[in-house]
Amino acid sequence: MPQLQKACLWELATPQRPSHTPLVGEHDADVCIIGAGFTGLSAALRLLEDGRSVCIVEAHQVGHGGSGRNVGLVNAGTWVPPDDVEKVLGKAAGDTLNRALGGAPALVFEHIDRYGIDCQDTRTGTLHMAHNAAGLADLRSRVEQWQRRGAKLELLTGRDCADACGTEQASGALLDYRAGTVNPMAYASGLAIAATQRGAQLYGDSPVTGLARTEDGWRVSTARGSVRAGKVIIASNAYTEGEWAEVGKHIFAGYYYQVASTPLSGSAADQVLKGGQGSWDTRTVLSSIRRDAEGRLVLGSLGNAANYPLWFIRRWADRIASHYFPQLGKLDWQCTWTGRIGFTPDHLLRLFEPAPGLVAATGYNGRGVTTGTLVGKSLAEYLLGEDKQALPMPFSNAQPVSARGLRSATYDAGFGLYHAGQCLRVVL
């Protein structure tokens, strides 16, 4: 039996991963971007398209954080239903955000096509599966709200649902035709390759140690060098490190772990998400389910698996797989990994402009592929023209999140207890 190891599947499945040397000495650029994930790389490509010089400074390597450890669902919208987004932000601002993020999957696929990125993408939608009657009612409401806005969604029930999902355990499923899946590390790597080919300076293993205003712009400092730039984008989201940035105080950290099986084949396996969609269920402590390009079953849920022993992770994965797909029999689990999520109390992202020429984004709440791609492009367009109409939502004036460490610890403890209950078959 293969040994379950702590390793990120997307790293193993991305043969062409760029590696970048540390920043050494002084450099100049029109714009310095902190973070080489979806947001920073999308911003860089938009700036380069306009002829601006760009320097990207990454604390580790491309895709190290939430971008490379993502589930890889190319989702439309936010976790919050569109009517609720408008209640929180107001009718006009909420409509703008709903439209922008509703169209964000198309932007991701446009990037993949334009830059020739091989990230094993699928474009057949995603399936949000109802685990009980309340979940089905929620999906009906979401479908109605999005269809009222002209989006292409469908609620599957009965045999249509079972055939699409490959399980009898979902009472219904919201099929969002706008969405899809990617290998997130391959997507991030492809964006980085495209950016450097177009002239971006990209430096890895260079955590930022300071950010200071100068007479003509900003100085971004690292241990061995610095970048002088007229403008700066902070694009590190939940992986912002150090005390130089206030952005991290507006989120609290959450975690999401995943477990991948060995590649599956045969008629039983072929019926699991046979249309290529990624999926997740309506449980408060949700389970995500997808297949990768090699046929692996990839399961995930909220929680920090770095704190779980491997036997616990294997038992949890066995429990979820046997519940949804008993026809698969006993599975061999290959690897497990954890990523960090930037949560906000209202589950909506935050954009900031702390000072002229300095912008930032955070709080993607687990929807980084589409949100990061859209926000990076939007922040770049704002810096190019200083037109707030380029932004998907107004800059935030929210107060920092209180008791951030306690919130994170409380959430993670609750997730751990729930997963223990799943393993003991007390809950599911």
Side-chain angles (χ1 to χ4, degrees), residues 108-129:
V108 171
F109 298 137
E110 177 187 318
H111 278 56
I112 293 169
D113 292 340
R114 177 184 298 180
Y115 302 115
I117 300 173
D118 179 8
C119 57
Q120 304 92 54
D121 58 296
T122 67
R123 307 185 187 188
T124 53
T126 53
L127 290 160
H128 193 176
M129 302 190 304

Side-chain angles (χ1 to χ4, degrees), residues 37-72:
F38 302 137
T39 306
L41 296 168
S42 178
L45 286 164
R46 180 63 186 89
L47 292 164
L48 292 163
E49 181 182 285
D50 206 68
R52 306 304 168 93
S53 59
V54 175
C55 183
I56 307 168
V57 182
E58 163 60 43
H60 301 278
Q61 290 291 330
V62 169
H64 166 85
S67 294
R69 298 166 192 268
N70 205 282
V71 177

Side-chain angles (χ1 to χ4, degrees), residues 5-35:
Q5 61 176 319
K6 291 194 174 183
C8 179
L9 169 66
W10 310 125
E11 295 179 4
L12 302 175
T14 305
Q16 192 178 8
R17 290 182 58 204
S19 179
H20 299 277
T21 58
L23 177 75
V24 178
E26 291 199 348
H27 299 260
D28 295 285
D30 293 327
V31 181
C32 180
I33 297 172
I34 302 170

Side-chain angles (χ1 to χ4, degrees), residues 76-102 138 141-142 145-146 148-149 178 344 346-350 363-365 367 371 374 392-394:
T78 70
W79 284 111
V80 183
D83 282 0
D84 291 351
V85 172
E86 293 184 6
K87 289 177 183 176
V88 173
L89 298 179
K91 176 66 177 175
D95 180 65
T96 297
L97 183 61
N98 284 327
R99 288 178 181 274
L101 286 175
D138 177 63
S141 176
R142 289 174 183 266
Q145 291 179 42
W146 277 115
R148 195 179 344 121
R149 292 167 170 83
R178 300 169 293 178
T344 56
D346 60 8
H347 302 295
L348 294 177
L349 71 134
R350 303 281 190 268
Y364 294 172
N365 292 280
R367 293 212 164 186
T371 305
L374 172 72
M393 66 186 301

Side-chain angles (χ1 to χ4, degrees), residues 13-362:
T14 305
Q16 192 178 8
R17 290 182 58 204
S19 179
H20 299 277
T21 58
L23 177 75
V24 178
E26 291 199 348
H27 299 260
D28 295 285
D30 293 327
V31 181
C32 180
I33 297 172
I34 302 170
F38 302 137
T39 306
L41 296 168
S42 178
L45 286 164
R46 180 63 186 89
L47 292 164
L48 292 163
E49 181 182 285
D50 206 68
R52 306 304 168 93
S53 59
V54 175
C55 183
I56 307 168
V57 182
E58 163 60 43
H60 301 278
Q61 290 291 330
V62 169
H64 166 85
S67 294
R69 298 166 192 268
N70 205 282
V71 177
L73 299 181
V74 185
N75 277 322
T78 70
W79 284 111
V80 183
D83 282 0
D84 291 351
V85 172
E86 293 184 6
K87 289 177 183 176
V88 173
L89 298 179
K91 176 66 177 175
D95 180 65
T96 297
L97 183 61
N98 284 327
R99 288 178 181 274
L101 286 175
L107 179 64
V108 171
F109 298 137
E110 177 187 318
H111 278 56
I112 293 169
D113 292 340
R114 177 184 298 180
Y115 302 115
I117 300 173
D118 179 8
C119 57
Q120 304 92 54
D121 58 296
T122 67
R123 307 185 187 188
T124 53
T126 53
L127 290 160
H128 193 176
M129 302 190 304
H131 76 292
N132 61 13
L136 182 59
D138 177 63
L139 295 186
R140 289 189 189 279
S141 176
R142 289 174 183 266
V143 168
E144 186 278 325
Q145 291 179 42
W146 277 115
Q147 287 181 340
R148 195 179 344 121
R149 292 167 170 83
K152 188 179 181 182
L153 290 84
E154 182 180 1
L155 184 64
L156 305 179
T157 57
R159 181 45 50 191
D160 289 340
C161 173
D163 287 345
C165 299
T167 178
E168 302 288 342
Q169 297 298 328
S171 55
L174 187 164
L175 174 55
D176 190 338
Y177 291 98
R178 300 169 293 178
T181 68
V182 293
N183 169 341
M185 178 60 82
Y187 177 52
S189 297
L191 293 175
I193 292 168
T196 54
Q197 287 176 342
R198 286 157 178 78
Q201 306 172 65
L202 202 165
Y203 298 97
D205 298 323
S206 301
V208 171
T209 57
L211 175 63
R213 192 76 182 267
T214 64
E215 290 184 2
D216 56 355
W218 298 88
R219 179 183 294 274
V220 178
S221 301
T222 69
R224 300 173 62 187
S226 63
V227 180
R228 294 179 300 231
K231 298 177 180 180
V232 173
I233 298 175
I234 301 175
S236 44
N237 192 19
Y239 283 78
T240 302
E241 301 177 359
E243 297 300 319
W244 54 270
E246 294 290 313
V247 175
K249 296 180 180 179
H250 290 267
I251 59 172
F252 60 98
Y255 296 87
Y256 198 92
Y257 70 90
Q258 296 179 72
V259 189
S261 73
T262 55
L264 306 180
S265 61
S267 59
D270 290 345
Q271 298 307 306
V272 175
L273 299 170
K274 63 183 180 182
Q277 295 90 358
S279 68
W280 70 102
D281 59 32
T282 54
R283 290 179 173 81
T284 302
V285 185
L286 62 87
S287 296
S288 61
I289 306 165
R290 63 163 296 188
R291 308 286 298 278
D292 78 338
E294 300 299 322
R296 295 176 181 86
L297 182 67
V298 185
L299 306 177
S301 190
L302 293 156
N304 189 353
N307 298 329
Y308 303 166
L310 289 177
W311 66 262
F312 182 94
I313 298 170
R314 186 184 294 108
R315 184 172 297 177
W316 175 85
D318 285 341
R319 172 72 166 127
I320 300 303
S322 64
H323 172 74
Y324 280 117
F325 313 112
Q327 69 271 26
L328 295 179
K330 180 68 173 176
L331 299 180
D332 293 327
W333 301 104
Q334 178 179 354
C335 56
T336 181
W337 67 100
T338 298
R340 192 184 309 159
I341 297 173
F343 282 123
T344 56
D346 60 8
H347 302 295
L348 294 177
L349 71 134
R350 303 281 190 268
L351 303 182
F352 299 96
E353 188 179 32
L358 175 64
V359 293
T362 194

